[in-house]
Amino acid sequence: MIHFEWPWLFLTLPLPLIVRYLLPATTSVENAALRVPFIEDFQSLNQEIQHKTIKRWPLWLATLAWILLVIAASRPQWWDEPIELPVNGRDLMMAVDLSLSMQYKDFRIKDRTVNRLTATKWVAGQFIERRVGDRLGLILFGEQAYLQVPLTFDRQTVRTLLNESAIGLAGQQTAIGDAIGLAVKRFLHKDENKESWILILLTDGANTAGNIEPLKAAELAAQEGLKIYTIGIGADEMVLRDFFGTRHINPSVDLDEKTLKQIAEKTGGRYFRARDTAELEKIYALLDQLEPIQKDNLFFRPSKA
């Protein structure tokens, strides 16, 4: 069927008639004359001018041109039959820690030692690709929390901006409470089923910055129906070799597992511990098994201008 994007422009069709009857006609200049001594010299010139005079358009041709101009200005479009787009997924926000401690190289990918953020990008990127039908968003947090990607079906954009993130981009400390608060704020802009709201929060430390305490933010999230899955990342032991020999340290000594567990419990989620890449992959594989909630179907109508 044909659809006009701006149908109100058809109200301008009688505009030429209105202008014709409301504006005064031009005055006649037939009485103007020029006296010259040799009138014969101007007769040939007068005949040439009359020969070159442009003929006026016929009234029907001008009317047709005006009608076609108005139709074109109203933006006609051809609409096909509507296509149903079933949406079965969840609204899933990911919050990733970019604090300075994420630079510890205690993970391995394909026999290569990498830092925690690189491992997160590797595993979470595959997780994003598998979440077909979900709306995904991305929050990056350090000393402050930033909304990097609002909820969208464009999984490629979410993965690209996650890969472009860098350690220290949001500050050197960790504001877990602010990240949860920002997620709640973004979800509250939506009027859809709260049972589909999920936040996956990944961090390797404790709350050391921000304006909101993590447990207070978790209580607010629970009130609004936001379920939070927390992931504590980092190995329990790391071998350092230097001039004095070999030392064994615990790079996850600052990880506040107690708070992360309480956040998950308050919101009906779960806490996971990822000590290496394999465990991190298992966690995201388990998160893949979240049961989708059926939403109202969306409709898309193809159009051609």
Side-chain angles (χ1 to χ4, degrees):
M1 59 178 293
I2 295 179
H3 168 77
F4 294 95
E5 189 70 18
W6 296 337
W8 52 268
L9 282 175
F10 285 106
L11 297 175
T12 63
L13 282 174
L15 184 60
L17 294 177
I18 296 175
V19 173
R20 177 182 176 86
Y21 286 105
L22 292 184
L23 295 182
T26 58
T27 57
S28 176
V29 293
E30 294 179 356
N31 295 329
L34 177 65
R35 297 182 179 275
V36 294
F38 304 102
I39 191 65
E40 296 84 2
D41 296 339
F42 289 89
Q43 289 179 351
S44 59
L45 180 61
N46 185 39
Q47 293 175 356
E48 183 178 352
I49 293 176
Q50 291 179 354
H51 179 73
K52 293 183 178 180
T53 300
I54 300 175
K55 295 182 179 180
R56 295 184 177 180
W57 283 17
L59 181 60
W60 66 268
L61 186 59
T63 303
L64 178 61
W66 174 251
I67 293 175
L68 293 177
L69 179 63
V70 172
I71 293 176
S74 63
R75 295 183 62 185
Q77 299 177 354
W78 178 262
W79 278 10
D80 293 334
E81 291 298 322
I83 300 174
E84 185 175 348
L85 298 177
V87 180
N88 301 322
R90 293 178 179 266
D91 294 325
L92 195 151
M93 188 76 72
M94 301 177 61
V96 178
D97 187 356
L98 297 183
S99 62
L100 198 61
S101 56
M102 290 290 286
Q103 68 183 351
Y104 276 112
K105 294 186 176 182
D106 52 357
F107 279 72
R108 296 185 65 83
I109 297 177
K110 296 181 178 180
D111 298 327
R112 181 169 58 94
T113 302
V114 297
N115 61 36
R116 295 169 178 177
L117 181 58
T118 301
T120 300
K121 293 178 180 180
W122 172 265
V123 178
Q126 300 176 29
F127 171 78
I128 291 171
E129 288 298 322
R130 295 193 298 266
R131 300 303 295 189
V132 178
D134 283 356
R135 274 191 292 198
L136 301 177
L138 178 63
I139 292 174
L140 303 177
F141 67 96
E143 292 181 12
Q144 296 180 346
Y146 299 94
L147 179 67
Q148 190 73 351
V149 185
L151 290 169
T152 177
F153 288 109
D154 188 355
R155 293 175 287 115
Q156 185 59 43
T157 296
V158 178
R159 184 172 187 177
T160 298
L161 292 180
L162 173 62
N163 289 334
E164 292 178 354
S165 62
I167 296 173
L169 184 65
Q172 298 183 2
Q173 300 185 55
T174 309
I176 297 175
D178 284 6
I180 298 174
L182 179 57
V184 173
K185 180 180 178 181
R186 298 307 306 178
F187 278 116
L188 286 179
H189 285 286
K190 300 164 49 59
D191 297 326
E192 300 181 13
N193 196 336
K194 295 183 178 181
E195 295 181 3
S196 66
W197 294 357
I198 300 294
L199 171 64
I200 300 175
L201 187 143
L202 184 143
T203 182
D204 66 344
N207 189 76
T208 56
N211 300 317
I212 308 175
E213 290 296 325
L215 296 182
K216 291 291 184 181
E219 291 176 1
L220 178 60
Q223 293 174 5
E224 300 301 333
L226 173 61
K227 183 184 296 185
I228 303 177
Y229 290 89
T230 55
I231 302 176
I233 185 173
D236 289 333
E237 186 179 52
M238 183 176 179
V239 179
L240 293 181
R241 295 179 177 84
D242 53 25
F243 181 79
F244 298 100
T246 301
R247 292 184 296 129
H248 293 265
I249 65 170
N250 180 9
S252 299
V253 65
D254 295 328
L255 179 61
D256 189 356
E257 292 191 80
K258 180 181 178 180
T259 299
L260 295 178
K261 290 178 181 178
Q262 290 177 338
I263 292 172
E265 291 173 358
K266 285 180 178 293
T267 59
R270 289 180 57 182
Y271 168 71
F272 302 97
R273 183 74 171 91
R275 297 173 180 83
D276 52 37
T277 307
E279 285 189 350
L280 190 59
E281 289 177 341
K282 290 180 181 178
I283 291 170
Y284 277 105
L286 182 59
L287 292 172
D288 264 332
Q289 300 175 7
L290 295 172
E291 291 294 333
I293 295 178
Q294 180 71 35
K295 298 182 181 179
D296 294 335
N297 290 341
L298 301 179
F299 290 89
F300 168 73
R301 185 189 293 270
S303 62
K304 299 177 182 179

